[in-house]
């Protein structure tokens, strides 16, 4: 929360649907359940006074969310702010300090009363119900508008120039001054977030070989680079409320490493090593007399459920911090760390010699078979963290390989961009194939006893494997919400996802129809020689049911 006294989160698997909880950062009381619903409820933002949380809820996973307000003093009472089951995708949701205006993005033309492709930035008057468009981008782009703490301006992103690019724009809350403030190239991406002073902006932007971190100054509009090192793989950064330091999130071989950067002196402090990953979220109060500062952080690994904790970060840099759970998560399960399989770093060479990394989970005793679990995205990466599906498969006597094929984040910008050389259904699928071959060569898997599964892009990869790999390599596939016809997927997916397809495939289906057809598993279903289980969400707006009709 802005005052640092509370932390709110979405908790999955504590009931029939995801719900929102909150806890005081001093650990004085157990978690407070703010919602108790039959549909997933997720945290959107805090109110400026730190006394209430905005919550988003859709229907059966259709992602057409309604926003609610839930006050800490009135847990369980969800006060609706927007309409139920809207005809558009609502992004973000910040309440203005005046308590009357709601800022969010929506692919909706209020005047025409119809759904559109781009996401416009809206100021929604909660008293009159009137929506005022503050900014009107031209092309689709996933963006969650961010209102500054003063309530004067909104940051958001556009992809109007090129599908591979992402520029940062700034608009005032009256919608009179809408302008581009960060453009590092038409085909390069930038991300931005406000500093607590409501004036300066922290910017993460792509360079030729890496991503660099900078500070945008409102006076002259200059961008001063703070971290610009090709040897570092910076993948995130933010300045929490109440902190003079920026949190830098770096990936090192798919593991998270965070540090604190003093924006004035430039001094960077690495965080102490802990088992798994440690991600600081925000200070829980001012520094003590000894210079120590209490922080709220997230910790996790394949044997540690994601937990919110309180710890000290300060002068004792060489000493591991004392960590106190704010959620009491281990009290909610009969499982222990010993019941969970550890993620083992596993590496192999692709057909072109590129080193590929993945996480190998081994069954206890002799394995009944092996499952390849492919992450979605593809611009994402699997970490050393609990995946309930993988842990279940291991508990059933199966080895599991979770590959970070080229195109994954977590390694370098060059590694992430390498998937574009041939597009989807190209080298990244050969990386997965090479990983299976490495398992067979190492005696970890047996011919004819390897299956593959995954959701979204993992589902697409499962379709690809069962239609292109021999049964000795893949004997069974369970694609979950996977693309089968890339042209159909392009036409039916959420409009803000179409630029991603164009970026990855080198154009739209109209521009490169042959590539879309060639890379669509639908046209190779006659080559399936193994077992197939199709799983599809009937309300999935990303990979729609049209993919399996």
């Amino acid at each position: 929360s802005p005052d640092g006294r509370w932390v709110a989160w979405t908790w999955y698997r504590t009931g029939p649907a995801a719900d929102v909880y909150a806890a005081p950062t001093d650990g004085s009381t157990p978690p407070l359940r703010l919602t108790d619903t039959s549909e997933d409820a997720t945290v959107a933002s805090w109110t400026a006074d730190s006394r209430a949380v905005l919550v988003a809820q859709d229907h059966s996973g259709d992602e057409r969310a309604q926003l609610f307000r839930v006050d800490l003093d009135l847990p369980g009472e969800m006060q609706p702010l927007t309409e139920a089951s809207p005809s558009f995708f609502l992004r973000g949701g910040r309440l203005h300090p005046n308590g009357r205006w709601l800022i969010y993005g929506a692919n909706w033309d209020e005047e025409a009363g119809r759904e559109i492709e781009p996401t416009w930035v809206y100021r929604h008057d909660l008293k009159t119900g009137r929506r005022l468009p503050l900014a009107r981008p031209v092309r689709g782009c996933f963006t969650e508008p961010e209102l500054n703490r003063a309530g004067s301006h909104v940051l958001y992103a556009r992809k109007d120039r090129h599908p591979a690019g992402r520029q940062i724009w700034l608009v005032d809350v009256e919608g009179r001054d809408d302008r581009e403030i960060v453009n590092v190239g038409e085909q390069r991406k930038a991300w931005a977030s406000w500093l607590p002073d409501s004036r300066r902006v922290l910017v993460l932007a792509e360079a030729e070989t890496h991503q660099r971190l900078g500070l945008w100054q409102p006076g002259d509009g200059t961008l001063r680079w703070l971290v610009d090192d090709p040897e570092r793989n910076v993948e995130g950064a933010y300045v929490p409320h109440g902190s003079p330091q920026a949190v830098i999130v770096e990936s090192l071989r798919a593991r998270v490493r965070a540090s604190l950067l003093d924006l004035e002196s430039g001094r960077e402090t690495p965080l102490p090593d802990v088992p798994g990953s440690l991600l600081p979220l925000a200070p829980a109060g001012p520094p003590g007399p000894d210079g120590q500062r209490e922080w709220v952080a997230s910790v996790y690994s394949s044997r540690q459920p994601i937990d919110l904790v309180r710890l000290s970060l300060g002068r004792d840099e060489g000493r591991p911090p004392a960590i106190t759970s704010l959620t009491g998560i281990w009290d909610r399960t009969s499982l222990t760390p010993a019941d969970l399989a550890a993620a083992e770093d596993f590496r192999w060479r692709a057909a072109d010699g590129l080193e590929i990394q993945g996480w190998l989970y081994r069954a206890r005793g002799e394995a009944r078979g092996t499952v390849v679990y492919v992450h979605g995205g593809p611009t994402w990466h699997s970490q050393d963290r609990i995946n309930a599906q993988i842990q279940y498969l291991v508990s059933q006597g199966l080895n599991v390989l979770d590959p970070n094929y080229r195109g994954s984040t977590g390694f370098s910008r060059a590694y992430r961009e390498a998937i574009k050389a041939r597009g989807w259904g190209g080298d990244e699928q050969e990386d997965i194939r090479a990983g299976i071959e490495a398992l067979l060569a190492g005696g970890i898997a047996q011919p004819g006893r390897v299956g593959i599964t995954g959701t979204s892009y993992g589902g697409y990869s499962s379709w690809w494997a069962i239609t292109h790999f021999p049964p000795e390599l893949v004997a069974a596939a369970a694609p979950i919400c996977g693309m089968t016809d890339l042209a159909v997927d392009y036409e039916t997916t959420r409009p803000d996802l179409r630029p991603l397809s164009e970026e990855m495939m080198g154009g739209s289906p109209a521009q490169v129809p042959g590539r879309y057809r060639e890379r669509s598993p639908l046209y190779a279903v006659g080559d399936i020689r193994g077992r197939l289980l199709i799983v599809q969400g009937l309300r999935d707006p990303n990979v729609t049911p049209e993919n399996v009709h």
Side-chain angles (χ1 to χ4, degrees), residues 26 115 315 349 419:
D26 63 5
E115 189 174 16
R315 292 179 178 172
R349 291 287 174 181
I419 193 173

Side-chain angles (χ1 to χ4, degrees), residues 255-489:
R255 293 186 186 274
V256 169
R257 291 291 178 264
S259 58
L260 300 179
L261 175 68
D262 188 289
L263 296 176
E264 303 306 325
S265 68
R267 181 173 181 264
E268 189 172 352
T269 305
L271 297 192
D273 283 334
V274 299
S277 295
L278 169 65
L279 187 63
L281 300 178
D290 60 354
Q292 295 279 4
R293 189 162 206 170
E294 297 289 308
W295 278 70
V296 174
S298 173
V299 295
Y300 57 89
S301 74
S302 55
R303 287 185 155 177
Q304 165 64 58
I306 300 174
D307 198 8
L308 294 169
V309 302
R310 184 182 177 111
L311 53 82
S312 294
L313 297 176
R315 292 179 178 172
D316 297 335
E317 297 174 11
R319 187 182 305 171
I323 295 177
T324 303
S325 173
L326 298 175
T327 70
I329 193 166
W330 284 113
D331 297 332
R332 291 179 163 265
T333 176
S334 60
L335 293 172
T336 68
D339 296 317
L340 301 170
E344 175 186 325
D345 195 321
F346 185 76
R347 301 179 186 236
W348 64 94
R349 291 287 174 181
D352 60 0
L354 182 67
E355 183 181 72
I356 310 296
Q357 186 269 353
W359 302 106
L360 177 62
Y361 298 80
R362 295 179 187 262
R364 289 186 174 90
E366 186 176 351
R368 298 166 51 203
T370 300
V371 172
V372 179
Y373 175 91
V374 186
H375 71 71
T379 311
W380 189 252
H381 69 274
S382 293
Q383 297 184 42
D384 176 7
R385 64 191 291 178
I386 288 180
N387 178 305
Q389 188 176 354
I390 289 176
Q391 293 290 340
Y392 173 76
L393 292 170
V394 174
S395 77
Q396 299 303 298
L398 298 164
N399 291 331
V400 177
L401 176 66
D402 187 356
N404 281 315
Y405 48 87
R406 77 186 71 195
S408 300
T409 54
F411 297 88
S412 67
R413 182 169 185 262
Y415 190 87
R416 188 190 74 200
E417 297 287 284
I419 193 173
K420 297 181 186 178
R422 294 180 56 206
W424 289 346
D427 294 330
E428 88 287 4
Q429 300 303 327
E430 291 304 306
D431 296 343
I432 296 170
R433 178 177 183 140
I436 299 172
E437 292 170 342
L439 293 175
L440 294 171
I444 300 168
Q446 303 302 318
R449 300 206 53 84
V450 177
I452 187 168
T453 189
T455 300
S456 192
Y457 199 81
Y460 168 74
S461 297
S462 302
W463 275 110
W464 186 270
I466 199 67
T467 54
H468 289 79
F469 298 171
E472 294 77 22
L473 287 182
V474 172
I480 305 172
C481 303
M483 305 96 79
T484 63
D485 186 323
L486 295 182
V488 168
D489 181 70

Side-chain angles (χ1 to χ4, degrees), residues 18 49 54 78 133-134 137 178 194 216 223 235 261 310 330 354 383 501 531 549:
D49 61 4
L54 299 196
M78 298 175 64
L134 303 180
D178 182 24
W194 287 108
W216 180 82
L223 189 57
E235 293 198 331
L261 175 68
R310 184 182 177 111
W330 284 113
L354 182 67
Q383 297 184 42
S501 295
R531 298 189 178 190
H549 282 166

